[in-house]
Amino acid sequence: MDIIITIIYIVLFLIMMIFVFSIGMLRPFMPKKEIALVLVVAFFIGALGGAFFLSPIYSDIPEIASSFEKAMPGNEETLYLDVSSSTDINKLESDLSQIEGFKSFEETGITIPLWKFSDREYEYFNYAVGNVDSHFTNYTVNKTDGTIYIALDNYSSSEALKSFADWYKLVFGGPISYAQVHAKVVISSSALDQVEEYLLSKGIVASSIDGSVQSSLDNTNASMISNTEFVLVCGGIGVVVGILGLFFDSFVVGKRRFDRFMRTKKKR
C-alpha cells in the first residue's frame, strides 16, 4: 500500500477515535443509562474504522516485514520450479541469468506421468528404469500415481527425456505425451519480485520458495491474528477510548486534587 494512503487511513482512524472520545466527554450531560449505549457506539465506530482503514494496513504487514529482508545484502532465495518439458529450458535459464541478482540455475529432475501401475508393472519399471540410461541412478517409481521421477545429476532434462522416450517407444511402441521438468533457481533476495514477475509472464509460478524473505513472510503470518479478530480488537480500542472520554473529567478533577494535596504537603 502507498505510504501516503497509509498515513491518510491512520489519520482517519484517529479522527474517529477523537470523535468517540468527544462523545464520552458528554457524560455530564447524559443520563447514566445511556453510558452503556455510548460504549456500544464506541465499539462499532472502532470496529468500522478498523475494517475500513486499519485492516488493509494490517494485511500488508507481512509484505512490509519481507521488504526489510529484500533490502539486506547477502540474503538469498531459492525458487523451485515445475515446468512442462515443452518449455525451452535453455532460454529460460538465459533470460533469468540476465536479471541482476541471479546466482544459479539447476535442473534437479524430471517427472513422467504414465498410468496407475499394477504390481507387475510396478516391479518391471522399478527394475527397468535404472537400465535405460547410466545416468538414471536415482529414481522413484510411484505405483499409486503412476509416475516416474528421475533425479538429474550433471545431466540435462532434454538428454534424460530423450533417453527415456527412445526406450519407451522401443518397448511400448508409442511416444510420451507429457513430462515435467523440475529446476532450482538461486537469486539474491532483492531480485525476488523481478524474477517472480518474469516467471509469471511465462505462465510459471514457483512451487515453493526457501529463503529469508519467505521465512519472514511465514513467521509474520503465523504470528498475526485473523482480520476478524483484528477488527474486534479495533472495536475494543474504541471502547477504551470511549471509557477514557467518559471519565476524563473525573481524572482531571482527581489530578487537580492530587496536585493541590502535594503543594499543601510541601508547604508543611
Side-chain angles (χ1 to χ4, degrees):
M1 183 180 292
D2 187 87
I3 184 65
I4 296 178
I5 296 177
T6 299
I7 294 173
I8 292 174
Y9 279 2
I10 293 174
V11 170
L12 289 174
F13 181 79
L14 291 176
I15 290 174
M16 295 179 76
M17 292 300 97
I18 292 172
F19 176 69
V20 169
F21 187 81
S22 300
I23 295 176
M25 290 185 67
L26 297 175
R27 183 174 71 107
F29 308 99
M30 65 177 70
K32 289 185 177 180
K33 62 181 180 179
E34 293 188 3
I35 292 178
L37 179 61
V38 170
L39 296 180
V40 172
V41 171
F43 176 82
F44 278 107
I45 291 177
L48 286 173
F52 287 101
F53 301 130
L54 295 189
S55 186
I57 301 173
Y58 182 72
S59 298
D60 281 347
I61 287 179
E63 285 296 330
I64 295 172
S66 66
S67 65
F68 290 103
E69 295 294 339
K70 292 177 183 177
M72 294 293 291
N75 283 355
E76 293 184 351
E77 305 298 315
T78 301
L79 287 75
Y80 296 92
L81 310 180
D82 300 325
V83 300
S84 169
S85 56
S86 61
T87 303
D88 189 337
I89 301 297
N90 291 329
K91 186 176 188 309
L92 177 64
E93 180 180 2
S94 176
D95 290 346
L96 287 172
S97 66
Q98 302 303 312
I99 298 176
E100 185 177 357
F102 171 85
K103 292 186 178 296
S104 67
F105 181 96
E106 178 188 357
E107 295 174 288
T108 58
I110 57 173
T111 295
I112 305 167
L114 295 177
W115 60 83
K116 187 176 180 179
F117 302 135
S118 65
D119 292 339
R120 186 174 180 180
E121 289 170 334
Y122 170 73
E123 291 177 2
Y124 172 72
F125 279 111
N126 215 20
Y127 163 77
V129 172
N131 297 315
V132 172
D133 191 309
S134 60
H135 291 89
F136 295 176
T137 57
N138 184 9
Y139 62 91
T140 302
V141 179
N142 191 310
K143 178 182 177 181
T144 304
D145 295 339
T147 60
I148 297 174
Y149 170 79
I150 303 172
L152 301 177
D153 185 14
N154 296 320
Y155 202 47
S156 70
S157 60
S158 58
E159 292 174 312
L161 285 170
K162 185 179 185 309
S163 291
F164 189 90
D166 289 344
W167 170 81
Y168 185 84
K169 185 176 182 179
L170 181 65
V171 175
F172 294 94
I176 297 173
S177 59
Y178 176 78
Q180 194 174 56
V181 178
H182 309 288
K184 181 174 69 173
V185 184
V186 181
I187 58 172
S188 297
S189 296
S190 58
L192 180 60
D193 291 338
Q194 190 175 354
V195 169
E196 286 186 317
E197 184 178 347
Y198 166 77
L199 292 174
L200 192 60
S201 70
K202 300 298 181 182
I204 302 171
V205 177
S207 57
S208 63
I209 303 176
D210 289 337
S212 54
V213 172
Q214 191 61 39
S215 295
S216 176
L217 284 170
D218 293 340
N219 293 335
T220 304
N221 282 321
S223 63
M224 292 173 66
I225 59 177
S226 67
N227 283 339
T228 301
E229 292 171 329
F230 180 75
V231 170
L232 294 177
V233 169
C234 291
I237 292 174
V239 172
V240 171
V241 172
I243 292 173
L244 291 175
L246 287 170
F247 296 98
F248 182 73
D249 286 341
S250 300
F251 172 76
V252 172
V253 172
K255 186 176 184 304
R256 288 174 179 172
R257 289 177 179 175
F258 178 77
D259 291 341
R260 193 181 305 118
F261 170 77
M262 293 300 294
R263 284 196 298 269
T264 303
K265 187 174 181 181
K266 287 180 179 179
K267 289 179 181 179
R268 292 178 181 178

